[in-house]
Amino acid sequence: MQASSEFQELRRRFRAWTFPMTAAFLGWYLLYVVLSGWARDFMGIKVLGNINIALILGLLQFVSTFWIAWAYARHMEKKLDPIADKLRHEVEEQAK
């Protein structure tokens, strides 16, 4: 099963999406942490009333997390689930 071309394609598609997205999000998160630690003046700039850049970037962390979860689910549904379902049916047929 693991040597089959379909399984390798499934792994390739999974990795092609998750590795770059994980690196991008970790970079985004690290940027927020670095700015919070070493660019306090920048993070303290008030944009509107008491809303400053730190608050906006912090809220964007949540937004980006939910967006990634939505994009991951959509990617899996369109690109990986059909292959995984086919492989699962093949394994179930072989097990009978």
PDB file of all heavy atoms in Angstrom, residues 13-48:
ATOM      1  N   ARG A  13       0.646  15.452  -1.719  1.00  0.00           N
ATOM      2  CA  ARG A  13      -0.333  16.543  -1.636  1.00  0.00           C
ATOM      3  C   ARG A  13      -0.489  17.041  -0.198  1.00  0.00           C
ATOM      4  O   ARG A  13      -0.628  18.242   0.024  1.00  0.00           O
ATOM      5  CB  ARG A  13      -1.690  16.076  -2.160  1.00  0.00           C
ATOM      6  CG  ARG A  13      -1.732  15.907  -3.650  1.00  0.00           C
ATOM      7  CD  ARG A  13      -3.107  15.547  -4.122  1.00  0.00           C
ATOM      8  NE  ARG A  13      -3.129  15.334  -5.559  1.00  0.00           N
ATOM      9  CZ  ARG A  13      -4.223  15.158  -6.261  1.00  0.00           C
ATOM     10  NH1 ARG A  13      -5.399  15.165  -5.649  1.00  0.00           N
ATOM     11  NH2 ARG A  13      -4.170  14.978  -7.551  1.00  0.00           N
ATOM     12  N   PHE A  14      -0.490  16.112   0.743  1.00  0.00           N
ATOM     13  CA  PHE A  14      -0.599  16.508   2.151  1.00  0.00           C
ATOM     14  C   PHE A  14       0.579  17.381   2.562  1.00  0.00           C
ATOM     15  O   PHE A  14       0.411  18.459   3.128  1.00  0.00           O
ATOM     16  CB  PHE A  14      -0.682  15.267   3.043  1.00  0.00           C
ATOM     17  CG  PHE A  14      -0.681  15.591   4.503  1.00  0.00           C
ATOM     18  CD1 PHE A  14      -1.816  16.070   5.130  1.00  0.00           C
ATOM     19  CD2 PHE A  14       0.479  15.419   5.260  1.00  0.00           C
ATOM     20  CE1 PHE A  14      -1.809  16.378   6.484  1.00  0.00           C
ATOM     21  CE2 PHE A  14       0.493  15.725   6.607  1.00  0.00           C
ATOM     22  CZ  PHE A  14      -0.661  16.207   7.226  1.00  0.00           C
ATOM     23  N   ARG A  15       1.770  16.911   2.240  1.00  0.00           N
ATOM     24  CA  ARG A  15       2.968  17.658   2.623  1.00  0.00           C
ATOM     25  C   ARG A  15       3.093  18.974   1.872  1.00  0.00           C
ATOM     26  O   ARG A  15       3.567  19.959   2.431  1.00  0.00           O
ATOM     27  CB  ARG A  15       4.210  16.808   2.381  1.00  0.00           C
ATOM     28  CG  ARG A  15       4.313  15.665   3.336  1.00  0.00           C
ATOM     29  CD  ARG A  15       5.514  14.826   3.056  1.00  0.00           C
ATOM     30  NE  ARG A  15       5.626  13.775   4.058  1.00  0.00           N
ATOM     31  CZ  ARG A  15       6.570  12.873   4.059  1.00  0.00           C
ATOM     32  NH1 ARG A  15       7.490  12.882   3.122  1.00  0.00           N
ATOM     33  NH2 ARG A  15       6.602  11.962   5.000  1.00  0.00           N
ATOM     34  N   ALA A  16       2.700  18.994   0.603  1.00  0.00           N
ATOM     35  CA  ALA A  16       2.816  20.215  -0.196  1.00  0.00           C
ATOM     36  C   ALA A  16       1.947  21.339   0.368  1.00  0.00           C
ATOM     37  O   ALA A  16       2.237  22.513   0.161  1.00  0.00           O
ATOM     38  CB  ALA A  16       2.429  19.936  -1.645  1.00  0.00           C
ATOM     39  N   TRP A  17       0.902  20.994   1.061  1.00  0.00           N
ATOM     40  CA  TRP A  17       0.040  22.026   1.655  1.00  0.00           C
ATOM     41  C   TRP A  17       0.431  22.323   3.094  1.00  0.00           C
ATOM     42  O   TRP A  17       0.534  23.484   3.486  1.00  0.00           O
ATOM     43  CB  TRP A  17      -1.424  21.582   1.602  1.00  0.00           C
ATOM     44  CG  TRP A  17      -2.355  22.719   1.823  1.00  0.00           C
ATOM     45  CD1 TRP A  17      -2.896  23.504   0.865  1.00  0.00           C
ATOM     46  CD2 TRP A  17      -2.851  23.228   3.075  1.00  0.00           C
ATOM     47  NE1 TRP A  17      -3.681  24.462   1.444  1.00  0.00           N
ATOM     48  CE2 TRP A  17      -3.677  24.323   2.784  1.00  0.00           C
ATOM     49  CE3 TRP A  17      -2.659  22.862   4.398  1.00  0.00           C
ATOM     50  CZ2 TRP A  17      -4.312  25.057   3.776  1.00  0.00           C
ATOM     51  CZ3 TRP A  17      -3.294  23.597   5.384  1.00  0.00           C
ATOM     52  CH2 TRP A  17      -4.114  24.668   5.077  1.00  0.00           C
ATOM     53  N   THR A  18       0.640  21.289   3.893  1.00  0.00           N
ATOM     54  CA  THR A  18       0.814  21.510   5.326  1.00  0.00           C
ATOM     55  C   THR A  18       2.185  22.080   5.700  1.00  0.00           C
ATOM     56  O   THR A  18       2.258  22.936   6.588  1.00  0.00           O
ATOM     57  CB  THR A  18       0.600  20.217   6.127  1.00  0.00           C
ATOM     58  OG1 THR A  18       1.431  19.198   5.607  1.00  0.00           O
ATOM     59  CG2 THR A  18      -0.843  19.789   6.079  1.00  0.00           C
ATOM     60  N   PHE A  19       3.235  21.651   5.056  1.00  0.00           N
ATOM     61  CA  PHE A  19       4.558  22.149   5.446  1.00  0.00           C
ATOM     62  C   PHE A  19       4.715  23.650   5.177  1.00  0.00           C
ATOM     63  O   PHE A  19       5.119  24.389   6.075  1.00  0.00           O
ATOM     64  CB  PHE A  19       5.665  21.343   4.785  1.00  0.00           C
ATOM     65  CG  PHE A  19       5.834  19.949   5.348  1.00  0.00           C
ATOM     66  CD1 PHE A  19       6.710  19.071   4.758  1.00  0.00           C
ATOM     67  CD2 PHE A  19       5.122  19.512   6.447  1.00  0.00           C
ATOM     68  CE1 PHE A  19       6.880  17.775   5.259  1.00  0.00           C
ATOM     69  CE2 PHE A  19       5.273  18.232   6.958  1.00  0.00           C
ATOM     70  CZ  PHE A  19       6.153  17.364   6.356  1.00  0.00           C
ATOM     71  N   PRO A  20       4.401  24.128   3.967  1.00  0.00           N
ATOM     72  CA  PRO A  20       4.524  25.581   3.761  1.00  0.00           C
ATOM     73  C   PRO A  20       3.564  26.391   4.632  1.00  0.00           C
ATOM     74  O   PRO A  20       3.927  27.455   5.145  1.00  0.00           O
ATOM     75  CB  PRO A  20       4.187  25.771   2.279  1.00  0.00           C
ATOM     76  CG  PRO A  20       4.360  24.452   1.663  1.00  0.00           C
ATOM     77  CD  PRO A  20       4.080  23.446   2.724  1.00  0.00           C
ATOM     78  N   MET A  21       2.357  25.897   4.830  1.00  0.00           N
ATOM     79  CA  MET A  21       1.393  26.627   5.650  1.00  0.00           C
ATOM     80  C   MET A  21       1.846  26.666   7.113  1.00  0.00           C
ATOM     81  O   MET A  21       1.714  27.699   7.782  1.00  0.00           O
ATOM     82  CB  MET A  21       0.006  25.987   5.545  1.00  0.00           C
ATOM     83  CG  MET A  21      -1.075  26.806   6.193  1.00  0.00           C
ATOM     84  SD  MET A  21      -1.269  28.455   5.485  1.00  0.00           S
ATOM     85  CE  MET A  21      -1.954  28.057   3.911  1.00  0.00           C
ATOM     86  N   THR A  22       2.389  25.583   7.597  1.00  0.00           N
ATOM     87  CA  THR A  22       2.907  25.563   8.969  1.00  0.00           C
ATOM     88  C   THR A  22       4.069  26.540   9.124  1.00  0.00           C
ATOM     89  O   THR A  22       4.125  27.295  10.099  1.00  0.00           O
ATOM     90  CB  THR A  22       3.361  24.138   9.346  1.00  0.00           C
ATOM     91  OG1 THR A  22       2.239  23.253   9.232  1.00  0.00           O
ATOM     92  CG2 THR A  22       3.901  24.085  10.754  1.00  0.00           C
ATOM     93  N   ALA A  23       4.983  26.542   8.163  1.00  0.00           N
ATOM     94  CA  ALA A  23       6.118  27.461   8.221  1.00  0.00           C
ATOM     95  C   ALA A  23       5.650  28.916   8.156  1.00  0.00           C
ATOM     96  O   ALA A  23       6.144  29.770   8.906  1.00  0.00           O
ATOM     97  CB  ALA A  23       7.089  27.161   7.078  1.00  0.00           C
ATOM     98  N   ALA A  24       4.680  29.193   7.300  1.00  0.00           N
ATOM     99  CA  ALA A  24       4.164  30.560   7.179  1.00  0.00           C
ATOM    100  C   ALA A  24       3.498  31.011   8.476  1.00  0.00           C
ATOM    101  O   ALA A  24       3.724  32.134   8.948  1.00  0.00           O
ATOM    102  CB  ALA A  24       3.177  30.649   6.014  1.00  0.00           C
ATOM    103  N   PHE A  25       2.693  30.138   9.069  1.00  0.00           N
ATOM    104  CA  PHE A  25       2.018  30.539  10.301  1.00  0.00           C
ATOM    105  C   PHE A  25       3.010  30.703  11.445  1.00  0.00           C
ATOM    106  O   PHE A  25       2.897  31.639  12.237  1.00  0.00           O
ATOM    107  CB  PHE A  25       0.930  29.538  10.700  1.00  0.00           C
ATOM    108  CG  PHE A  25       0.191  30.010  11.919  1.00  0.00           C
ATOM    109  CD1 PHE A  25      -0.746  31.013  11.826  1.00  0.00           C
ATOM    110  CD2 PHE A  25       0.459  29.468  13.163  1.00  0.00           C
ATOM    111  CE1 PHE A  25      -1.409  31.483  12.955  1.00  0.00           C
ATOM    112  CE2 PHE A  25      -0.197  29.928  14.297  1.00  0.00           C
ATOM    113  CZ  PHE A  25      -1.132  30.936  14.183  1.00  0.00           C
ATOM    114  N   LEU A  26       3.977  29.805  11.551  1.00  0.00           N
ATOM    115  CA  LEU A  26       4.975  29.948  12.611  1.00  0.00           C
ATOM    116  C   LEU A  26       5.791  31.232  12.434  1.00  0.00           C
ATOM    117  O   LEU A  26       6.125  31.905  13.413  1.00  0.00           O
ATOM    118  CB  LEU A  26       5.887  28.729  12.663  1.00  0.00           C
ATOM    119  CG  LEU A  26       5.243  27.453  13.195  1.00  0.00           C
ATOM    120  CD1 LEU A  26       6.218  26.290  13.086  1.00  0.00           C
ATOM    121  CD2 LEU A  26       4.761  27.622  14.616  1.00  0.00           C
ATOM    122  N   GLY A  27       6.108  31.580  11.192  1.00  0.00           N
ATOM    123  CA  GLY A  27       6.793  32.839  10.928  1.00  0.00           C
ATOM    124  C   GLY A  27       5.958  34.040  11.323  1.00  0.00           C
ATOM    125  O   GLY A  27       6.453  35.001  11.930  1.00  0.00           O
ATOM    126  N   TRP A  28       4.688  33.988  11.008  1.00  0.00           N
ATOM    127  CA  TRP A  28       3.751  35.052  11.362  1.00  0.00           C
ATOM    128  C   TRP A  28       3.645  35.176  12.880  1.00  0.00           C
ATOM    129  O   TRP A  28       3.666  36.271  13.437  1.00  0.00           O
ATOM    130  CB  TRP A  28       2.412  34.753  10.693  1.00  0.00           C
ATOM    131  CG  TRP A  28       1.178  35.393  11.217  1.00  0.00           C
ATOM    132  CD1 TRP A  28       0.043  34.750  11.591  1.00  0.00           C
ATOM    133  CD2 TRP A  28       0.881  36.785  11.405  1.00  0.00           C
ATOM    134  NE1 TRP A  28      -0.906  35.655  12.014  1.00  0.00           N
ATOM    135  CE2 TRP A  28      -0.411  36.914  11.898  1.00  0.00           C
ATOM    136  CE3 TRP A  28       1.624  37.939  11.214  1.00  0.00           C
ATOM    137  CZ2 TRP A  28      -0.998  38.122  12.205  1.00  0.00           C
ATOM    138  CZ3 TRP A  28       1.040  39.162  11.519  1.00  0.00           C
ATOM    139  CH2 TRP A  28      -0.264  39.242  12.001  1.00  0.00           C
ATOM    140  N   TYR A  29       3.548  34.050  13.563  1.00  0.00           N
ATOM    141  CA  TYR A  29       3.466  34.055  15.024  1.00  0.00           C
ATOM    142  C   TYR A  29       4.772  34.563  15.640  1.00  0.00           C
ATOM    143  O   TYR A  29       4.755  35.374  16.574  1.00  0.00           O
ATOM    144  CB  TYR A  29       3.147  32.648  15.552  1.00  0.00           C
ATOM    145  CG  TYR A  29       3.085  32.589  17.048  1.00  0.00           C
ATOM    146  CD1 TYR A  29       2.021  33.153  17.736  1.00  0.00           C
ATOM    147  CD2 TYR A  29       4.102  31.989  17.784  1.00  0.00           C
ATOM    148  CE1 TYR A  29       1.965  33.121  19.120  1.00  0.00           C
ATOM    149  CE2 TYR A  29       4.055  31.949  19.160  1.00  0.00           C
ATOM    150  CZ  TYR A  29       2.986  32.515  19.822  1.00  0.00           C
ATOM    151  OH  TYR A  29       2.936  32.482  21.186  1.00  0.00           O
ATOM    152  N   LEU A  30       5.897  34.106  15.103  1.00  0.00           N
ATOM    153  CA  LEU A  30       7.191  34.557  15.617  1.00  0.00           C
ATOM    154  C   LEU A  30       7.362  36.062  15.417  1.00  0.00           C
ATOM    155  O   LEU A  30       7.899  36.753  16.293  1.00  0.00           O
ATOM    156  CB  LEU A  30       8.332  33.791  14.940  1.00  0.00           C
ATOM    157  CG  LEU A  30       9.736  34.104  15.440  1.00  0.00           C
ATOM    158  CD1 LEU A  30       9.878  33.753  16.918  1.00  0.00           C
ATOM    159  CD2 LEU A  30      10.771  33.354  14.613  1.00  0.00           C
ATOM    160  N   LEU A  31       6.905  36.580  14.294  1.00  0.00           N
ATOM    161  CA  LEU A  31       6.956  38.025  14.050  1.00  0.00           C
ATOM    162  C   LEU A  31       6.187  38.778  15.125  1.00  0.00           C
ATOM    163  O   LEU A  31       6.660  39.789  15.652  1.00  0.00           O
ATOM    164  CB  LEU A  31       6.393  38.349  12.665  1.00  0.00           C
ATOM    165  CG  LEU A  31       6.276  39.841  12.333  1.00  0.00           C
ATOM    166  CD1 LEU A  31       7.660  40.470  12.201  1.00  0.00           C
ATOM    167  CD2 LEU A  31       5.464  40.035  11.060  1.00  0.00           C
ATOM    168  N   TYR A  32       5.020  38.268  15.466  1.00  0.00           N
ATOM    169  CA  TYR A  32       4.209  38.904  16.511  1.00  0.00           C
ATOM    170  C   TYR A  32       4.938  38.897  17.854  1.00  0.00           C
ATOM    171  O   TYR A  32       4.967  39.906  18.566  1.00  0.00           O
ATOM    172  CB  TYR A  32       2.862  38.189  16.629  1.00  0.00           C
ATOM    173  CG  TYR A  32       1.962  38.776  17.674  1.00  0.00           C
ATOM    174  CD1 TYR A  32       1.326  39.986  17.466  1.00  0.00           C
ATOM    175  CD2 TYR A  32       1.751  38.115  18.882  1.00  0.00           C
ATOM    176  CE1 TYR A  32       0.493  40.534  18.427  1.00  0.00           C
ATOM    177  CE2 TYR A  32       0.925  38.651  19.854  1.00  0.00           C
ATOM    178  CZ  TYR A  32       0.302  39.863  19.617  1.00  0.00           C
ATOM    179  OH  TYR A  32      -0.506  40.399  20.578  1.00  0.00           O
ATOM    180  N   VAL A  33       5.538  37.764  18.192  1.00  0.00           N
ATOM    181  CA  VAL A  33       6.263  37.654  19.463  1.00  0.00           C
ATOM    182  C   VAL A  33       7.471  38.594  19.478  1.00  0.00           C
ATOM    183  O   VAL A  33       7.715  39.293  20.468  1.00  0.00           O
ATOM    184  CB  VAL A  33       6.693  36.193  19.719  1.00  0.00           C
ATOM    185  CG1 VAL A  33       7.639  36.097  20.901  1.00  0.00           C
ATOM    186  CG2 VAL A  33       5.471  35.307  19.924  1.00  0.00           C
ATOM    187  N   VAL A  34       8.221  38.622  18.386  1.00  0.00           N
ATOM    188  CA  VAL A  34       9.407  39.490  18.312  1.00  0.00           C
ATOM    189  C   VAL A  34       9.008  40.954  18.404  1.00  0.00           C
ATOM    190  O   VAL A  34       9.628  41.734  19.139  1.00  0.00           O
ATOM    191  CB  VAL A  34      10.209  39.197  17.012  1.00  0.00           C
ATOM    192  CG1 VAL A  34      11.265  40.263  16.765  1.00  0.00           C
ATOM    193  CG2 VAL A  34      10.849  37.820  17.090  1.00  0.00           C
ATOM    194  N   LEU A  35       7.979  41.327  17.674  1.00  0.00           N
ATOM    195  CA  LEU A  35       7.521  42.716  17.733  1.00  0.00           C
ATOM    196  C   LEU A  35       7.036  43.071  19.137  1.00  0.00           C
ATOM    197  O   LEU A  35       7.271  44.187  19.609  1.00  0.00           O
ATOM    198  CB  LEU A  35       6.403  42.955  16.715  1.00  0.00           C
ATOM    199  CG  LEU A  35       6.826  42.984  15.254  1.00  0.00           C
ATOM    200  CD1 LEU A  35       5.590  43.092  14.349  1.00  0.00           C
ATOM    201  CD2 LEU A  35       7.784  44.113  14.971  1.00  0.00           C
ATOM    202  N   SER A  36       6.374  42.138  19.794  1.00  0.00           N
ATOM    203  CA  SER A  36       5.895  42.399  21.151  1.00  0.00           C
ATOM    204  C   SER A  36       7.051  42.566  22.130  1.00  0.00           C
ATOM    205  O   SER A  36       6.952  43.322  23.093  1.00  0.00           O
ATOM    206  CB  SER A  36       4.987  41.257  21.627  1.00  0.00           C
ATOM    207  OG  SER A  36       3.829  41.193  20.839  1.00  0.00           O
ATOM    208  N   GLY A  37       8.129  41.854  21.898  1.00  0.00           N
ATOM    209  CA  GLY A  37       9.267  41.913  22.812  1.00  0.00           C
ATOM    210  C   GLY A  37      10.235  43.041  22.538  1.00  0.00           C
ATOM    211  O   GLY A  37      10.805  43.618  23.468  1.00  0.00           O
ATOM    212  N   TRP A  38      10.448  43.358  21.262  1.00  0.00           N
ATOM    213  CA  TRP A  38      11.511  44.290  20.924  1.00  0.00           C
ATOM    214  C   TRP A  38      11.071  45.520  20.136  1.00  0.00           C
ATOM    215  O   TRP A  38      11.897  46.350  19.797  1.00  0.00           O
ATOM    216  CB  TRP A  38      12.609  43.563  20.157  1.00  0.00           C
ATOM    217  CG  TRP A  38      13.384  42.665  21.044  1.00  0.00           C
ATOM    218  CD1 TRP A  38      14.376  43.047  21.910  1.00  0.00           C
ATOM    219  CD2 TRP A  38      13.256  41.258  21.179  1.00  0.00           C
ATOM    220  NE1 TRP A  38      14.850  41.944  22.575  1.00  0.00           N
ATOM    221  CE2 TRP A  38      14.182  40.828  22.145  1.00  0.00           C
ATOM    222  CE3 TRP A  38      12.429  40.301  20.577  1.00  0.00           C
ATOM    223  CZ2 TRP A  38      14.303  39.505  22.523  1.00  0.00           C
ATOM    224  CZ3 TRP A  38      12.557  38.994  20.956  1.00  0.00           C
ATOM    225  CH2 TRP A  38      13.493  38.598  21.918  1.00  0.00           C
ATOM    226  N   ALA A  39       9.824  45.628  19.848  1.00  0.00           N
ATOM    227  CA  ALA A  39       9.338  46.810  19.133  1.00  0.00           C
ATOM    228  C   ALA A  39       8.101  47.348  19.859  1.00  0.00           C
ATOM    229  O   ALA A  39       7.052  47.548  19.264  1.00  0.00           O
ATOM    230  CB  ALA A  39       9.021  46.467  17.688  1.00  0.00           C
ATOM    231  N   ARG A  40       8.282  47.581  21.129  1.00  0.00           N
ATOM    232  CA  ARG A  40       7.138  48.007  21.959  1.00  0.00           C
ATOM    233  C   ARG A  40       6.579  49.355  21.515  1.00  0.00           C
ATOM    234  O   ARG A  40       5.376  49.569  21.578  1.00  0.00           O
ATOM    235  CB  ARG A  40       7.542  48.039  23.417  1.00  0.00           C
ATOM    236  CG  ARG A  40       7.792  46.647  23.956  1.00  0.00           C
ATOM    237  CD  ARG A  40       8.248  46.706  25.400  1.00  0.00           C
ATOM    238  NE  ARG A  40       8.372  45.362  25.906  1.00  0.00           N
ATOM    239  CZ  ARG A  40       7.591  44.864  26.849  1.00  0.00           C
ATOM    240  NH1 ARG A  40       6.669  45.600  27.393  1.00  0.00           N
ATOM    241  NH2 ARG A  40       7.760  43.626  27.258  1.00  0.00           N
ATOM    242  N   ASP A  41       7.445  50.246  21.080  1.00  0.00           N
ATOM    243  CA  ASP A  41       6.943  51.547  20.621  1.00  0.00           C
ATOM    244  C   ASP A  41       6.050  51.387  19.392  1.00  0.00           C
ATOM    245  O   ASP A  41       4.999  52.019  19.283  1.00  0.00           O
ATOM    246  CB  ASP A  41       8.108  52.484  20.298  1.00  0.00           C
ATOM    247  CG  ASP A  41       8.879  52.898  21.547  1.00  0.00           C
ATOM    248  OD1 ASP A  41       8.289  52.812  22.647  1.00  0.00           O
ATOM    249  OD2 ASP A  41      10.046  53.293  21.426  1.00  0.00           O
ATOM    250  N   PHE A  42       6.489  50.539  18.471  1.00  0.00           N
ATOM    251  CA  PHE A  42       5.689  50.278  17.276  1.00  0.00           C
ATOM    252  C   PHE A  42       4.357  49.623  17.644  1.00  0.00           C
ATOM    253  O   PHE A  42       3.300  50.014  17.140  1.00  0.00           O
ATOM    254  CB  PHE A  42       6.463  49.398  16.293  1.00  0.00           C
ATOM    255  CG  PHE A  42       5.629  48.915  15.148  1.00  0.00           C
ATOM    256  CD1 PHE A  42       5.260  49.776  14.129  1.00  0.00           C
ATOM    257  CD2 PHE A  42       5.211  47.591  15.089  1.00  0.00           C
ATOM    258  CE1 PHE A  42       4.479  49.332  13.075  1.00  0.00           C
ATOM    259  CE2 PHE A  42       4.434  47.131  14.039  1.00  0.00           C
ATOM    260  CZ  PHE A  42       4.072  48.014  13.025  1.00  0.00           C
ATOM    261  N   MET A  43       4.418  48.625  18.510  1.00  0.00           N
ATOM    262  CA  MET A  43       3.193  47.899  18.885  1.00  0.00           C
ATOM    263  C   MET A  43       2.234  48.791  19.679  1.00  0.00           C
ATOM    264  O   MET A  43       1.041  48.548  19.709  1.00  0.00           O
ATOM    265  CB  MET A  43       3.540  46.651  19.697  1.00  0.00           C
ATOM    266  CG  MET A  43       4.333  45.628  18.920  1.00  0.00           C
ATOM    267  SD  MET A  43       3.425  44.914  17.565  1.00  0.00           S
ATOM    268  CE  MET A  43       2.762  43.481  18.379  1.00  0.00           C
ATOM    269  N   GLY A  44       2.765  49.814  20.309  1.00  0.00           N
ATOM    270  CA  GLY A  44       1.920  50.685  21.117  1.00  0.00           C
ATOM    271  C   GLY A  44       1.290  51.840  20.362  1.00  0.00           C
ATOM    272  O   GLY A  44       0.551  52.636  20.943  1.00  0.00           O
ATOM    273  N   ILE A  45       1.559  51.931  19.075  1.00  0.00           N
ATOM    274  CA  ILE A  45       0.975  53.017  18.274  1.00  0.00           C
ATOM    275  C   ILE A  45      -0.534  52.859  18.239  1.00  0.00           C
ATOM    276  O   ILE A  45      -1.058  51.811  17.865  1.00  0.00           O
ATOM    277  CB  ILE A  45       1.554  53.004  16.837  1.00  0.00           C
ATOM    278  CG1 ILE A  45       3.041  53.321  16.863  1.00  0.00           C
ATOM    279  CG2 ILE A  45       0.802  53.993  15.952  1.00  0.00           C
ATOM    280  CD1 ILE A  45       3.729  53.175  15.508  1.00  0.00           C
ATOM    281  N   LYS A  46      -1.226  53.914  18.652  1.00  0.00           N
ATOM    282  CA  LYS A  46      -2.690  53.870  18.664  1.00  0.00           C
ATOM    283  C   LYS A  46      -3.218  54.155  17.261  1.00  0.00           C
ATOM    284  O   LYS A  46      -2.818  55.113  16.611  1.00  0.00           O
ATOM    285  CB  LYS A  46      -3.235  54.863  19.667  1.00  0.00           C
ATOM    286  CG  LYS A  46      -2.920  54.457  21.095  1.00  0.00           C
ATOM    287  CD  LYS A  46      -3.602  55.332  22.102  1.00  0.00           C
ATOM    288  CE  LYS A  46      -3.265  54.788  23.496  1.00  0.00           C
ATOM    289  NZ  LYS A  46      -3.943  55.512  24.536  1.00  0.00           N
ATOM    290  N   VAL A  47      -4.120  53.293  16.835  1.00  0.00           N
ATOM    291  CA  VAL A  47      -4.690  53.418  15.498  1.00  0.00           C
ATOM    292  C   VAL A  47      -6.034  54.132  15.558  1.00  0.00           C
ATOM    293  O   VAL A  47      -6.311  55.034  14.777  1.00  0.00           O
ATOM    294  CB  VAL A  47      -4.852  52.027  14.839  1.00  0.00           C
ATOM    295  CG1 VAL A  47      -5.516  52.139  13.479  1.00  0.00           C
ATOM    296  CG2 VAL A  47      -3.506  51.328  14.737  1.00  0.00           C
ATOM    297  N   LEU A  48      -6.839  53.699  16.516  1.00  0.00           N
ATOM    298  CA  LEU A  48      -8.180  54.272  16.642  1.00  0.00           C
ATOM    299  C   LEU A  48      -8.575  54.194  18.116  1.00  0.00           C
ATOM    300  O   LEU A  48      -8.762  53.097  18.637  1.00  0.00           O
ATOM    301  CB  LEU A  48      -9.164  53.490  15.771  1.00  0.00           C
ATOM    302  CG  LEU A  48     -10.605  53.971  15.744  1.00  0.00           C
ATOM    303  CD1 LEU A  48     -10.688  55.347  15.072  1.00  0.00           C
ATOM    304  CD2 LEU A  48     -11.481  52.994  14.995  1.00  0.00           C
TER     305      LEU A  48
END
